[in-house]
Amino acid sequence: LRETIVDGETGWTYPAGDAAALARTMEAALDQRDEAMRRARAGRSMVSDRYERHFVFDRLMEALGGA
C-alpha cells in the first residue's frame, strides 16, 4: 500500500513489525475521527484519480503499442 498510503495525507504509517507503533496509530485514527475521515476521502480520491479504469486501460494500450 506504499503507493496509496501517504502519512499525514491519506492515512497513517508505522514501522513494520512495531506493534506498539501500530497500536498508537490505531488509537490516533480512532481518537481523531474527523482527521481519519479526511484522510480516507483523500485516499479514495487519489486511488480514483490514479487507477481510474479508463486511464489505466489507456496506459496499458500505450504500453502494448496501441494493440
Side-chain angles (χ1 to χ4, degrees):
L1 299 176
R2 292 175 194 219
E3 297 86 20
T4 57
I5 298 180
V6 179
D7 194 41
E9 293 181 32
T10 61
W12 282 266
T13 61
Y14 61 93
D18 187 337
L22 172 59
R24 287 189 302 274
T25 300
M26 293 171 66
E27 188 173 80
L30 292 170
D31 288 347
Q32 302 170 34
R33 291 192 179 265
D34 289 343
E35 179 61 13
M37 291 301 293
R38 184 195 69 76
R39 292 183 192 200
R41 282 191 298 273
R44 179 171 171 70
S45 179
M46 174 198 289
V47 168
S48 180
D49 291 345
R50 284 189 186 176
Y51 303 105
E52 192 274 328
R53 68 178 180 194
H54 296 292
F55 175 73
V56 172
F57 182 75
D58 290 346
R59 293 201 55 202
L60 173 63
M61 292 303 291
E62 287 174 15
L64 294 174

